[in-house]
Amino acid sequence: MTLTVAQLSESELLARIFPRLHAGSSMLLGPGDDSAIIAAADGRTVISIDTQVQDKDFRLLWPNGGTSSGFDVGWKAAAQNLSDINAMGAVATAMVVSLTLPGTTPVGWVEDFADGLSAAIVGLGAPQCSVAGGDLSGGSELVVTVAVTGSLDGLAPVLRSGAQAGDQIAVCGNMGFAAAGWALHESSILPSTHSPALATAAALFSRPEPPLSAGPVAARAGATAMMDISDGLLRDATRLAAASGVTLDLDGAVLRGVARALEDCAVVLDADPLTWVLTGGEDHGLLSTFPEGASLPDGFIRIGSVLSLDVAGLAVTIDGQNFKGASDGAVGWDHFAV
Ligand SMILES: [Mg+2]
């Protein structure tokens, strides 16, 4: 019979979790006291928080029979929080985790979750970040909340509001893969039949790989504005444009080139790969602007130019043209299709 969390006391469950939590160099006092203590040498602390609710933000069982394991949910929770620190140009220092668990949750799921959290921290290149502690509670549904702190290490933060007319627009990281993986999970295509391309998309949906060293590198290279792409390029570009009071004009040919990497998946799923690139969230790539003439750091590709808002009167354009529905992410692609 599977051991469930209802069969253990809180301290018994914590005793199984603590040894699995990654301890990075920033941790001065780890879990077990009333609070943990994290070094903050910079004098400023970057902080962010994110909550995922079962069957709203993630599923354990997907329509195509695929599953998300505790490891996957832990990895994803860590990845998206680390990405928000990265997007400021900062380096993560610590995480605290709150888990609300139905009593029927297998203890193995919770252990797997802790392993996924720690594996993402190390695997994605943030080994200095510690899981410093957290909280356990019972409830009718599984809820995962992660708060993360970071250090700017002497750099100025890169905000969404700094883009200027004349800047280059650039992205770094995967684009559209998580959206392809999500479409696959929602399809009737059994995991056992996945081609390598489909398997890659499914894996990147379950365990996204944000480019965690790229944020501080972009900050040092003079990025004028930055955010991570968590809700889709068009939606997030609209937010950055609004914060900066500019128009972001995207280059359709470059984006079609980016979408080519998803063509194999798109054929099988009868989908448009460009729509995944433009509207797919959860890859947690970086959207950044750099001064014209600045050489882009490794891994960044130029996808457009920042225009004065007066030119187009729109937050985001593609090849200088409007397209339907960009503000709500439901893109009518007819205008751009060639
Ligand atoms: Mg973000």
Side-chain angles (χ1 to χ4, degrees):
M1 210 173 83
T2 307
L3 184 67
T4 65
V5 298
Q7 295 168 270
L8 295 183
S9 70
E10 182 169 349
S11 56
E12 285 171 332
L13 188 53
L14 289 173
R16 288 169 177 255
I17 296 172
F18 282 164
R20 298 167 180 273
L21 300 179
H22 177 68
S25 54
S26 58
M27 191 151 69
L28 302 179
L29 180 69
D33 219 297
D34 295 291
S35 296
I37 303 177
I38 304 300
D42 178 84
R44 298 167 293 178
T45 297
V46 183
I47 186 164
S48 183
I49 190 167
D50 192 71
T51 292
Q52 298 182 77
V53 179
Q54 184 182 354
D55 296 330
K56 284 203 175 83
D57 303 297
F58 66 92
R59 291 181 201 273
L60 300 182
L61 179 63
W62 293 88
N64 74 336
T67 54
S68 289
S69 64
F71 191 99
D72 293 336
V73 176
W75 178 290
K76 200 162 182 162
Q80 60 196 34
N81 277 279
L82 293 170
S83 177
D84 279 328
I85 298 296
N86 188 40
M88 302 305 289
V91 171
T93 50
M95 267 180 204
V96 285
V97 185
S98 174
L99 285 180
T100 303
L101 302 166
T104 53
T105 308
V107 169
W109 191 94
V110 184
E111 292 173 334
D112 206 24
F113 172 88
D115 287 344
L117 204 65
S118 294
I121 290 170
V122 175
L124 293 172
Q128 71 290 337
C129 178
S130 310
V131 186
D135 185 44
L136 296 172
S137 182
S140 57
E141 58 195 348
L142 196 49
V143 182
V144 177
T145 298
V146 175
V148 60
T149 59
S151 172
L152 287 158
D153 288 346
L155 295 173
V158 186
L159 310 183
R160 298 179 181 186
S161 54
Q164 309 224 5
D167 284 352
Q168 319 173 58
I169 307 167
V171 290
C172 180
N174 296 319
M175 296 184 71
F177 283 88
W182 181 81
L184 181 59
H185 280 313
E186 292 283 325
S187 77
S188 58
I189 302 170
L190 298 174
S192 58
T193 66
H194 291 179
S195 65
L198 292 176
T200 297
L204 287 174
F205 172 74
S206 297
R207 300 177 194 179
E209 297 183 357
L212 288 190
S213 56
V217 169
R220 287 193 175 87
T224 50
M226 187 155 63
M227 65 186 299
D228 76 326
I229 304 172
S230 51
D231 291 326
L233 175 62
L234 293 179
R235 268 181 142 171
D236 288 326
T238 299
R239 291 172 179 147
L240 192 147
S244 293
V246 295
T247 294
L248 297 192
D249 184 41
L250 307 178
D251 184 325
V254 172
L255 294 171
R256 279 193 291 269
V258 169
R260 256 176 235 130
L262 294 163
E263 253 161 26
D264 289 351
C265 295
V267 168
V268 177
L269 290 163
D270 191 24
D272 173 14
L274 190 52
T275 301
W276 287 336
V277 168
L278 291 172
T279 65
E282 301 198 0
D283 286 304
H284 301 288
L286 288 176
L287 171 65
S288 314
T289 55
F290 294 89
E292 182 63 53
S295 56
L296 298 178
D298 281 353
F300 282 84
I301 57 165
R302 181 176 179 149
I303 61 159
S305 305
V306 180
L307 306 178
S308 161
L309 184 61
D310 302 341
V311 175
L314 297 162
V316 178
T317 54
I318 298 176
D319 297 335
Q321 299 188 56
N322 190 16
F323 52 91
K324 258 184 357 195
S327 58
D328 64 3
V331 176
W333 199 240
D334 52 313
H335 194 82
F336 181 57
V338 287

